[in-house]
Amino acid sequence: GGTADLWTLDLNTQKWTLVHLSGISTGPAQATFSAFTTMTFSGIVALVTHGGVLGGYSSDTFKTSNDLATTGSALVTAKTSMYYSTQTEGTQSEKEFWLDVRLTFFDETTDEDEGIPARAMHTIRSGKFKAGLDSIILYGGLDTQGNALSSMFYIKVSDATSAYSMGIGLTGITKAQASATGVKAALLRMIDTGFTCGDLTSYMTDYTSLARGSTCPPDDWGWLSCAAGSKKNFHNMRFLDSTDAGFSDIGSGRIVVAFFATLDDYEGCILPLFKDPTLFETAASMLANDTVLASAQFDTAGVDYTYGSAAELYVDLSTSPQTPWVKEDYLNQYGEDFGAVEAHIDSYVYDTTITDDNGCRTDCARGLCQGISGTSSSGSHETNSAGESVYCYSDSNPCTSSTYECAMPGKRFGHSATSLLLGGTSEIMILFGGETTDFGAEVAQLSSEVFTVHFSLTTATFSKLVVVDEDGNACGDSSDCSSELCPCARTDAAISVMGNVGSDNGRLLVFGGLSFGDSTASPVAAYLSRSTTLTVQPLNDLWYLDLTDLDEACSRDGTCNPLKWHLVIVPGNKPGARWGAGMVLDSSDNLYITGGATWDATTKFSEASDLYVFQLRDPFYQRCSATGAALTAAVAGVPAVFYLQCKDAFEEPANGARFQIDISGPVDMSPSVITTGDGEYRCTYTPERASSAYTVTIRVGRGGSTYQDLIAGYDSDPTDSEHQYLGYYVNIQGASNQNPYSLTVKPGDTDPAISTANGGAITLSTAGVVSSFVITAKDFAQNRRPGGDIIDAQMVLWNTVKNEASDSHGTPSTGKVQDNSDGSYTVSYSITAAGFYRLTVSFSGSTGVGTPVILDVQTGVPILEYSYAFGQIDSIVAGAASTAWVQTRDTYRNFIRSDGYENIEFELCIDVRGGNCPHGQVCDSVCAGGTIDNGVGITISYGDGPNGKTDSVTGQPYYGLYQIIFFPFNDGAFEPSIKHNSTYLECVFVSSSDPGFEIVDPCVEQLLIDRASNARRSLMDRSKVNRRRIQTTVSAQAGNGRRNNATTESLALQQTTIASAFTPPDNDLAIMWLGLAPILCCVLGVAIDLICGIGSFINSWRARKRMEGLEVQMDERRSVEGDGSIPGGVGSDTQMLKQGTTEAPRDVFGQLQNQGLMTSSDVERCRDLATNGDPRILGALDSHERSVMRTAVLFKKLVGGRNGNGNCGEVPRPCNERRPKDPGSARQSRKECDEDSSMIALSVVPLKSPVALSIIGQCIAAEPRLRSGVVQEISGRKKWEWEWEWEWKSRGQQRN
C-alpha cells in the first residue's frame, strides 16, 4: 500500500524525526511510485510530490478506457503537493506544512485549460533550465491504463501563485437548482471565462434546452472577459447551503458559491464582471429561464459593496467572517491560518508532433540524429547538405541515415532523472535507464542509456551520450549484470551527480535498480503482482560516469566524446540489493541510501527501511599504497618514516583519510599519521625492541574492522620513499598484495650505559690468574647488539684511600677483548701485582657497563721462599721489648692480602743441635731439635707495622705483615729463629723498617739458586757464616713506595748476645703514694661538699630576700590600687591554716580536683595532712598561692602599662614600627628602641610556676602571636627571650 509519511534525518546525529503521518487532508496522496523533487517557492526551498499509484496495487490498477467509463475513477493520481515551512518545526500544525499544487496547462488541441494528466513511475526534476528561472521538468511514466508515456512538461515554478478559498452569497436560488448540470455549467462559464455578447449568443446556441432570454445587450454595457492568464486558475466550484456542516445559520433561500481562485483572478475576472449586481441578474436571465438563474441575486445582507473596499462582493473564507452566516467551522475545513489553500503553477507540454523546426510554434521537443554506438558514426551527428544538424521529432519521424539513430528517449517509465550545471554555465537534465515497453509486457525492454536534455527558450533538445567501459569499449543495453565493465540495463535505479562545482561537471552516480531475472517479463509488474513464479534481479552495484568530457557540443549539437563507466568497489558493509531506493548527496559528498524494495529466493519481495552512508571522498583501499624503507626495516631508537598515498574511488587525491596502522610483534606499535596534502601522508614510529617478527598492517576506512580494508594499491618499489603507484594489485600480472609487510627492527647504536658486564672477575681476581668477564652490548632499549663494537678495558692501580691512581705516570693494565659476534664480548686479563684497580670499560671512548668499578686483585697462596723477616735482631736487651716483623708474599712478590691466617713462630734458641731441620724445610722440632729459652715474652699480631696499622706513605694497611714483640728476661748468647708455617725463614734482615724489594729479592733469588744446586746450609753447622742471611742496616731510604728499603751488608752473626741491662725497679715510693691516696681523696671530698653547702645556703638566702622584697612591693601596690585583695593571694591559705580553718586548702584542692588533676581520695588525704600542719603540704600551698599572686600582679602590670587600656590581649607595638620616616631622626628612633627594651622584657619577675608561664604566654600570644620563649639563667638572674611574628629587635639585628 501507499504511504505519505514525511520524515527528516539529521545528518549530524543521524537521527530520524517523524514530521507527519499519512492521510491528512492537505497532505500528499498516499501513493507508491510517485515522483519527488525540490523547488524554490516564494524564496523557500520546498518539497514537491506528484502522481503515483493510489493505495495498494491490484490487477485493475491500470484500467482500460472501458474500465474508466464504468467506474468513473482511476487508481493513478495526478495530485501534486508541496511541503514547506518558514517556522521552526513542531511549532505549527500539520496543515501549515503541506499545500496542494494545481498544475495547469492550456491544451491547444481542445482550447481548454487542463491539469497534467495522472501518471506514475515518472520523473520530475527541478532546476533553472530556461533563462535562469526556477522550473520543474516532468518526463514519461505510466498513465492510468498502464501505457508508457513520452510526454515532457515544463512547469514554471517562477510563476507560482497562491490560491484562496472564496465564496459569493446568492439568494433566490437553491443548492439543488444551482447544482443542476446546465445551471452549474452556465454559472461556471459566466464566472470562469466571462463573456461578450457574441459568446453569450453562441453559448446559448449550445445549450438549446435553456430558455432564451432577451436579445444581446448593447456593447456599452461593459461586458468583460477575464484578464489574460487569470481564467485558468479558477476552479473547484461547489454550492453550500444550510444543510452543509458549519452553514446551518444560513437559512433557506440562500447558498454560497465557493471556489478556489487567486486574488489576481478575482480582481481581474470576477470583480469586473460583477461590479454591478444588475449585470449578474441580466446575464443570469439571458443564460437561463426565470425560475433558475434569473431569480438569483447577490446576498447583500451585512456586506459593504462599495467598490474598491476589501470586502467587495466576495467573502474570503480564510479571514474573519464578513457576514453573519459565515461560520468559523468553514475556515477550519477549507482554509489555512495563513490563507492560501493551493499553489497555482502554470505549465505546458513540449510538442513532439511537429516534423521540423518550422512547425514549432511555442515549446517543442526534438532529438539529435546521432551515430549509432559501435559504428563509424559513433560520437557524431547527422548533418544535411547545408551542414546543418538533422533532428528527429518523434518515432514517426526518424533519422534519414541508417547509421544514425534518433536521440529521443521515447516512452519509458521507471527511469531516473537528475540535473547538471554543464560547464558551470547552463543547466541540463540527465535521464538514465528505465523500462521502454508498456506495463506488463510479456517481453519487456530495459535500458541503461544516458540522455541529456538541453533547453533553449523554445526547444528542448535530446542527446544520447556515448558511454564506454574503462578500456574504451562501447556499452550497450546488456542484461548481463555480472559484468564489471558497464552497468547492465535496469529500472528504478537511484542516481545523483557529485562534484558538480564551478566548471567541473563531476560524475553521474548510479546505484542499484531492478533487472531481469530468469525471464524477460517486466520485473516491475512481477514485483507489483507479488509473483511467486517469476524471478527478478535486484542490484546493489555502484557506478559512476565521468562527465569531465561532456560539453555543449554534445548536449546541444550531438558531437560527443566517449564517457567512461567505472565500477566503484564499495568496502565494508554495503547496502543490500534493492530498487526504488532514495539517494542523496550532502555537501561533503557523503552518499546516503535508504529504503527501496528487494527480492530473494526465500522471502521473495520485501521492502527495506535501513539507511547507509558511503563517504565517497574517503580513500579507496584499492588506490592506496605505501612506500618507504621503514615498512620493512627499522633501527631501534631511531624514528622510522614511511609514506602513504591515497586516492578516492574516482582516482582523485583523498585527503582526510582515517588509517588504522598496526605494528604487531614483541612490542605493539601504532605509528602517528599526518597529512602532507594532495592525498599523501607521513607515518612515523620509533621502535624499541629489536626483532624480525614484526608485521605492519595498514587499513583505511571509517573505523572498526567492519568498515576498514587493507590497502591494496601496488607500489613498484616500496623501499625508496617515492610513490610509484601502479594500481590495484589484482590487476597487475604476477603481483600480490604487499600489505601486511614483514618488518625487521635491528638494534640501535650501542648504548654504553645500558650495556652490561657479567662475571665475578669484574670486581675480584687473583694475581697471576687469567680472569675473564663477559660484556653484552645493548642499545638504549636493551636490544642486544650483533657485535662489531670497539671495546677497551683498562685497569689502573688505585689508591682507594686517597681515591686516586697509585702511580699517575704508570701504564694501565689492559684486557684482551674477544668479539663473539653475537653482541657479547669476552674480556680476559691477568695481573700479577695485587691490589685495588680502577677498572674502566669504554665503547669507542665512551665509558659504560657501570664502570668504573674497583677491581680487587687478591694475592695468591703464600710462597715460603719469598717470605722474609726484619727487625731489631742484633740489639736485643734483656728486660726490654724488641720487635721483628715477618712479611709474607706470594709467587709474584705481592704482600699476602689476608686476615692473618698464616702461622708465624718466634724462637730464641740457646743452641741448635743436630741439623735434622734444614732451613727452608718444615721442621716440627723446637730450635731444630736444640734448646729454647723459655724466659721470653712473645706477642705476635697481624697488620701492625713500624708506623702503626697504616702505611704512612701509601695510606694502605700493612698487608701480609706480622709483628713479633718479644721480651727476653735472660741475658746471654742466643740464636733468634722465625718460622713461617713451620719453615724457618732464611732471609732475615736487621732493619727497623722494611728493607725493600731491591734488597730482599736478591736474597730470595740467591736462596732459590742455592736450592737448585742442592747447596743446603745445615742449621746445626755453626762453622758456616751467613747461613741465616741475617743482615744489618746501614742506612734507611724510601724505596718501593710501601715501606722503607734498607741498603745492607752481610753480617756474620750466628748468635745474638742479650745484654744484661735489666735492673729490678725501686717500689718504695710507689708503696708510699698508694697509702696516702685514700686519705687525700677523703679530705678533698669533704672540702668540695662544704663548698657546695655554703653556695646553696647563699643562694637560698638571696632568694628569700628577693621574695620578701617582692611581697612588700605587692602589698604596697595593693594598698595603692585598691583594697589589695587578690584572690588566692600570698599567705591567704597559710593564714587561714594558722587560724585553724581548712577553707582555703579545701578551695585549692577542690579546684585541682575540678580540673581533673587530683582524685577525691587524694584531696581528702591532703586536707587531713594540711589540718594536722604537715609542713610539706603547707609549703606546697604557700608556693601555689605565691604563684597565683605573682601571676595576677604581672597581669596588672601588663594591663596597666603603656597601653593604658587594661587589655591583656594588646601589647605595645615594636619600636621599629614607630620609627619616623625621616632618616635624620634615626637617633631618636634608637633611643625609643632602647626604652622599649624594658617593655620587651615585659617586667617579668622570676616565677617558678610553669602554669604561670603558660598563662603569660597565652595572654601575650593574642596579638601578636607568640612563637617561642627561652629562659636563661645568667649570674643568678633569669633572662627571658621571646620570639614574635613581627619585627621586634633593633640596631640591625636579625628581624623575627
Side-chain angles (χ1 to χ4, degrees):
T3 183
D5 294 351
L6 181 63
W7 296 77
T8 60
L9 172 67
D10 188 325
L11 297 183
N12 293 320
T13 62
Q14 296 188 1
K15 178 182 178 181
W16 283 105
T17 302
L18 177 63
V19 177
H20 73 77
L21 296 172
S22 301
I24 61 174
S25 60
T26 57
Q30 300 184 58
T32 57
F33 293 99
S34 57
F36 186 84
T37 190
T38 62
M39 73 173 189
T40 301
F41 177 74
S42 298
I44 302 171
V45 176
L47 311 180
V48 178
T49 178
H50 177 267
V53 177
L54 294 173
Y57 174 82
S58 63
S59 58
D60 60 352
T61 294
F62 297 106
K63 298 179 178 180
T64 65
S65 300
N66 294 332
D67 294 330
L68 288 174
T70 302
T71 61
S73 63
L75 296 180
V76 178
T77 183
K79 185 175 183 180
T80 305
S81 299
M82 177 175 62
Y83 170 84
Y84 76 102
S85 172
T86 58
Q87 302 295 326
T88 303
E89 182 176 323
T91 62
Q92 297 178 348
S93 65
E94 291 175 341
K95 295 179 181 180
E96 295 170 345
F97 293 103
W98 280 107
L99 194 65
D100 287 343
V101 178
R102 178 171 172 79
L103 301 177
T104 61
F105 74 98
F106 186 75
D107 189 346
E108 294 185 355
T109 60
T110 63
D111 197 31
E112 292 288 340
D113 291 327
E114 297 182 0
I116 297 177
R119 62 189 63 209
M121 304 184 195
H122 55 300
T123 59
I124 56 175
R125 183 67 188 181
S126 65
K128 297 180 182 298
F129 298 109
K130 292 176 60 174
L133 301 176
D134 291 315
S135 58
I136 294 176
I137 303 298
L138 183 152
Y139 186 87
L142 291 174
D143 64 11
T144 56
Q145 302 179 48
N147 298 314
L149 302 173
S150 62
S151 56
M152 183 170 71
F153 288 83
Y154 180 86
I155 303 171
K156 297 189 294 183
V157 176
S158 58
D159 293 340
T161 57
S162 298
Y164 301 88
S165 178
M166 300 182 180
I168 298 175
L170 297 178
T171 59
I173 189 173
T174 64
K175 179 179 178 180
Q177 292 174 331
S179 300
T181 303
V183 175
K184 183 175 181 180
L187 185 60
L188 181 60
R189 172 75 177 183
M190 182 176 62
I191 295 177
D192 187 22
T193 65
F195 50 86
T196 64
C197 184
D199 291 332
L200 183 61
T201 303
S202 62
Y203 181 80
M204 293 306 297
T205 302
D206 295 337
Y207 290 86
T208 56
S209 60
L210 297 178
R212 290 182 181 273
S214 59
T215 60
C216 183
D219 292 338
D220 57 2
W221 277 23
W223 297 101
L224 302 175
S225 299
C226 290
S230 298
K231 50 189 175 182
K232 59 186 66 177
N233 289 327
F234 185 93
H235 76 109
N236 197 24
M237 178 179 288
R238 57 210 183 279
F239 302 104
L240 306 169
D241 63 8
S242 60
T243 61
D244 292 288
F247 290 89
S248 59
D249 294 339
I250 290 179
S252 60
R254 292 177 175 174
I255 65 170
V256 173
V257 181
F259 50 87
F260 290 167
T262 66
L263 293 179
D264 290 341
D265 294 337
Y266 174 77
E267 293 176 354
C269 186
I270 299 177
L271 185 60
L273 184 62
F274 303 131
K275 62 182 179 180
D276 186 345
T278 59
L279 292 179
F280 175 80
E281 296 171 3
T282 302
S285 64
M286 295 172 61
L287 292 173
N289 56 43
D290 294 341
T291 60
V292 187
L293 285 180
S295 61
Q297 297 178 354
F298 279 107
D299 187 353
T300 60
V303 180
D304 182 7
Y305 290 107
T306 304
Y307 184 74
S309 66
E312 284 187 278
L313 302 179
Y314 78 100
V315 178
D316 183 353
L317 299 182
S318 66
T319 61
S320 298
Q322 300 297 316
T323 63
W325 45 263
V326 177
K327 303 289 289 185
E328 189 174 357
D329 292 342
Y330 185 79
L331 297 177
N332 295 335
Q333 183 176 1
Y334 292 100
E336 295 291 338
D337 289 346
F338 52 80
V341 294
E342 280 187 343
H344 286 195
I345 305 177
D346 291 339
S347 60
Y348 56 83
V349 63
Y350 276 95
D351 188 2
T352 59
T353 62
I354 59 176
T355 58
D356 55 47
D357 286 348
N358 294 328
C360 184
R361 290 173 293 175
T362 53
D363 294 279
C364 303
R366 65 185 182 180
L368 286 160
C369 289
Q370 294 176 279
I372 298 175
S373 178
T375 67
S376 59
S377 302
S378 178
S380 64
H381 67 284
E382 186 179 6
T383 59
N384 56 24
S385 58
E388 299 173 336
S389 298
V390 176
Y391 298 97
C392 53
Y393 297 89
S394 64
D395 294 340
S396 61
N397 183 25
C399 300
T400 59
S401 175
S402 61
T403 58
Y404 292 89
E405 61 181 350
C406 183
M408 293 287 286
K411 61 180 184 179
R412 62 184 60 215
F413 65 94
H415 55 283
S416 306
T418 187
S419 59
L420 172 73
L421 187 62
L422 183 62
T425 58
S426 59
E427 192 159 9
I428 64 174
M429 190 172 73
I430 298 178
L431 300 177
F432 170 79
E435 191 167 344
T436 60
T437 50
D438 292 335
F439 179 78
E442 293 184 2
V443 179
Q445 293 180 356
L446 301 180
S447 171
S448 60
E449 300 166 309
V450 183
F451 297 91
T452 64
V453 188
H454 185 277
F455 297 91
S456 69
L457 291 177
T458 58
T459 60
T461 303
F462 288 90
S463 175
K464 182 178 179 182
L465 301 185
V466 179
V467 293
V468 297
D469 61 21
E470 292 186 0
D471 297 328
N473 301 317
C475 295
D477 289 334
S478 172
S479 60
D480 181 10
C481 295
S482 62
S483 172
E484 297 183 355
L485 300 177
C486 300
C488 64
R490 65 192 67 197
T491 184
D492 289 295
I495 71 171
S496 185
V497 173
M498 70 167 291
N500 185 203
V501 179
S503 60
D504 189 353
N505 294 332
R507 301 165 184 84
L508 174 65
L509 298 178
V510 176
F511 171 78
L514 181 62
S515 188
F516 293 116
D518 55 5
S519 70
T520 58
S522 171
V524 174
Y527 163 59
L528 291 178
S529 63
R530 282 303 205 258
S531 173
T532 58
T533 58
L534 296 177
T535 62
V536 296
Q537 184 177 4
L539 305 170
N540 66 342
D541 48 356
L542 179 63
W543 296 84
Y544 78 88
L545 182 66
D546 192 342
L547 303 176
T548 302
D549 294 333
L550 179 61
D551 53 20
E552 284 201 0
C554 177
S555 64
R556 183 187 59 199
D557 303 327
T559 303
C560 299
N561 299 312
L563 306 179
K564 288 185 177 182
W565 279 112
H566 301 272
L567 177 64
V568 179
I569 306 300
V570 180
N573 185 18
K574 62 182 180 181
R578 66 192 66 200
W579 68 91
M583 183 171 77
V584 69
L585 278 166
D586 66 11
S587 59
S588 299
D589 288 336
N590 295 316
L591 180 67
Y592 293 86
I593 301 291
T594 184
T598 187
W599 178 92
D600 61 59
T602 303
T603 59
K604 302 302 181 181
F605 296 97
S606 61
E607 286 71 37
S609 61
D610 47 9
L611 173 68
Y612 286 83
V613 60
F614 180 26
Q615 287 80 9
L616 296 174
R617 291 298 186 182
D618 273 6
F620 186 36
Y621 74 98
Q622 293 183 7
R623 296 188 173 94
C624 294
S625 61
T627 185
L631 289 168
T632 56
V635 177
V638 178
V641 180
F642 61 90
Y643 303 90
L644 300 173
Q645 72 79 31
C646 270
K647 297 180 180 180
D648 57 24
F650 314 106
E651 297 189 357
E652 291 186 354
N655 297 314
R658 297 185 182 182
F659 294 99
Q660 178 66 44
I661 304 176
D662 298 311
I663 301 179
S664 58
V667 177
D668 293 340
M669 293 174 282
S670 296
S672 62
V673 182
I674 61 173
T675 179
T676 58
D678 201 28
E680 296 184 356
Y681 304 83
R682 185 175 186 267
C683 309
T684 305
Y685 67 95
T686 302
E688 294 185 359
R689 185 74 58 82
S691 174
S692 60
Y694 286 99
T695 300
V696 180
T697 305
I698 306 174
R699 292 182 173 86
V700 66
R702 275 289 171 179
S705 58
T706 305
Y707 303 103
Q708 289 188 328
D709 293 275
L710 290 172
I711 66 171
Y714 190 83
D715 191 283
S716 61
D717 187 359
T719 63
D720 61 359
S721 298
E722 296 291 335
H723 291 297
Q724 297 169 336
Y725 170 72
L726 299 182
Y728 184 29
Y729 80 92
V730 174
N731 300 330
I732 301 174
Q733 185 175 4
S736 59
N737 195 357
Q738 298 161 321
N739 180 29
Y741 301 84
S742 296
L743 170 64
T744 298
V745 177
K746 296 181 179 180
D749 294 337
T750 299
D751 190 333
I754 301 298
S755 300
T756 60
N758 297 288
I762 301 172
T763 57
L764 185 63
S765 182
T766 303
V769 177
V770 177
S771 302
S772 63
F773 59 90
V774 177
I775 294 175
T776 303
K778 299 180 179 180
D779 64 9
F780 85 105
Q782 310 244 356
N783 297 304
R784 189 162 178 160
R785 291 275 300 153
D789 294 288
I790 299 176
I791 298 178
D792 180 45
Q794 291 188 349
M795 291 145 279
V796 177
L797 188 61
W798 200 254
N799 188 325
T800 58
V801 176
K802 298 182 179 180
N803 196 28
E804 63 182 17
S806 299
D807 184 1
S808 60
H809 302 290
T811 301
S813 300
T814 58
K816 180 182 179 181
V817 181
Q818 177 182 341
D819 189 345
N820 300 322
S821 299
D822 61 354
S824 67
Y825 303 83
T826 301
V827 180
S828 57
Y829 64 91
S830 177
I831 302 176
T832 58
F836 290 108
Y837 289 80
R838 192 172 188 261
L839 170 62
T840 303
V841 177
S842 60
F843 295 77
S844 299
S846 298
T847 303
V849 298
T851 63
V853 296
I854 297 301
L855 168 63
D856 185 6
V857 179
Q858 300 280 337
T859 54
V861 297
I863 303 300
L864 302 182
E865 289 81 359
Y866 296 158
S867 298
Y868 62 93
F870 63 92
Q872 301 166 347
I873 305 300
D874 61 341
S875 58
I876 304 173
V877 178
S882 298
T883 306
W885 288 272
V886 177
Q887 182 65 66
T888 59
R889 301 193 297 172
D890 63 8
T891 188
Y892 299 102
R893 278 74 167 176
N894 298 304
F895 300 146
I896 298 299
R897 300 165 63 87
S898 66
D899 293 331
Y901 297 138
E902 300 301 308
N903 182 22
I904 304 299
E905 300 175 74
F906 178 81
E907 297 175 351
L908 195 59
C909 300
I910 300 174
D911 62 84
V912 181
R913 300 177 182 176
N916 58 340
C917 287
H919 283 273
Q921 297 184 10
V922 176
C923 183
D924 294 330
S925 301
V926 176
C927 290
T931 303
I932 188 171
D933 182 10
N934 293 319
V936 181
I938 302 173
T939 301
I940 301 176
S941 62
Y942 176 76
D944 294 312
N947 299 316
K949 289 288 187 181
T950 305
D951 192 321
S952 61
V953 176
T954 65
Q956 301 285 345
Y958 286 103
Y959 292 113
L961 184 66
Y962 295 82
Q963 183 186 62
I964 304 173
I965 300 177
F966 55 96
F967 192 97
F969 292 94
N970 303 316
D971 55 358
F974 299 90
E975 183 175 350
S977 299
I978 301 175
K979 285 183 180 180
H980 177 197
N981 291 345
S982 302
T983 300
Y984 287 102
L985 299 182
E986 298 189 57
C987 291
V988 182
F989 303 90
V990 179
S991 173
S992 61
S993 60
D994 193 323
F997 295 159
E998 294 83 354
I999 296 175
V1000 173
D1001 287 346
C1003 175
V1004 173
E1005 292 172 0
Q1006 185 62 44
L1007 176 63
L1008 295 176
I1009 294 173
D1010 292 347
R1011 288 184 179 177
S1013 60
N1014 294 322
R1016 299 287 188 268
R1017 293 179 174 86
S1018 174
L1019 182 61
M1020 302 303 296
D1021 188 357
R1022 293 176 179 268
S1023 62
K1024 297 180 179 180
V1025 181
N1026 285 338
R1027 69 179 186 273
R1028 302 285 293 280
R1029 288 183 173 80
I1030 299 176
Q1031 300 177 355
T1032 184
T1033 302
V1034 177
S1035 62
Q1037 301 289 335
N1040 60 2
R1042 184 179 185 276
R1043 298 181 176 88
N1044 295 329
N1045 293 335
T1047 303
T1048 64
E1049 60 183 21
S1050 299
L1051 176 65
L1053 181 64
Q1054 297 177 358
Q1055 292 181 336
T1056 297
T1057 299
I1058 301 177
S1060 179
F1062 183 76
T1063 303
D1066 184 1
N1067 296 327
D1068 294 340
L1069 183 61
I1071 293 172
M1072 180 189 69
W1073 281 108
L1074 288 174
L1076 292 175
I1079 298 173
L1080 294 175
C1081 288
C1082 292
V1083 173
L1084 181 62
V1086 171
I1088 292 173
D1089 184 62
L1090 181 61
I1091 293 171
C1092 292
I1094 294 172
S1096 177
F1097 173 78
I1098 292 172
N1099 290 335
S1100 300
W1101 180 81
R1102 289 180 176 176
R1104 285 195 299 274
K1105 288 297 183 181
R1106 289 196 300 270
M1107 294 297 296
E1108 290 174 358
L1110 181 63
E1111 291 175 1
V1112 172
Q1113 294 175 5
M1114 289 185 292
D1115 292 340
E1116 294 175 353
R1117 184 177 297 276
R1118 283 195 300 270
S1119 66
V1120 172
E1121 295 176 353
D1123 58 3
S1125 61
I1126 300 177
V1130 176
S1132 61
D1133 287 340
T1134 305
Q1135 186 65 29
M1136 289 181 179
L1137 289 172
K1138 291 180 181 180
Q1139 296 175 358
T1141 177
T1142 61
E1143 187 63 28
R1146 185 180 305 275
D1147 292 341
V1148 173
F1149 298 148
Q1151 293 174 3
L1152 296 177
Q1153 181 179 4
N1154 293 336
Q1155 295 176 4
L1157 301 177
M1158 297 181 63
T1159 63
S1160 59
S1161 60
D1162 293 338
V1163 170
E1164 293 301 324
R1165 290 186 60 190
C1166 288
R1167 286 174 177 170
D1168 293 341
L1169 292 174
T1171 303
N1172 296 328
D1174 189 288
R1176 296 171 298 174
I1177 298 299
L1178 294 178
L1181 287 171
D1182 184 66
S1183 176
H1184 172 75
E1185 294 301 318
R1186 289 173 181 270
S1187 298
V1188 172
M1189 183 275 296
R1190 290 165 182 162
T1191 301
V1193 170
L1194 178 60
F1195 287 164
K1196 297 286 281 183
K1197 287 184 177 182
L1198 292 176
V1199 301
R1202 296 188 181 185
N1203 290 338
N1205 55 9
N1207 189 345
C1208 174
E1210 298 183 3
V1211 299
R1213 185 164 52 91
C1215 62
N1216 53 2
E1217 292 188 1
R1218 301 194 302 272
R1219 293 177 182 174
K1221 296 183 179 179
D1222 182 8
S1225 60
R1227 180 176 300 176
Q1228 177 65 25
S1229 176
R1230 287 195 299 271
K1231 180 179 179 181
E1232 292 179 359
C1233 288
D1234 294 339
E1235 291 176 355
D1236 282 345
S1237 63
S1238 62
M1239 181 168 58
I1240 295 174
L1242 300 175
S1243 301
V1244 178
V1245 298
L1247 298 177
K1248 296 181 180 180
S1249 172
V1251 177
L1253 293 179
S1254 175
I1255 294 173
I1256 295 170
Q1258 293 175 4
C1259 179
I1260 297 175
E1263 177 68 30
R1265 186 167 63 87
L1266 178 66
R1267 295 182 59 186
S1268 64
V1270 179
V1271 181
Q1272 294 181 345
E1273 183 170 354
I1274 303 175
S1275 300
R1277 304 194 63 171
K1278 294 187 183 296
K1279 177 183 178 182
W1280 298 72
E1281 293 184 355
W1282 305 87
E1283 183 176 355
W1284 307 88
E1285 289 189 322
W1286 61 359
E1287 295 181 352
W1288 187 257
K1289 297 183 179 180
S1290 61
R1291 296 182 181 177
Q1293 296 182 10
Q1294 179 179 359
R1295 297 177 178 180
N1296 299 316

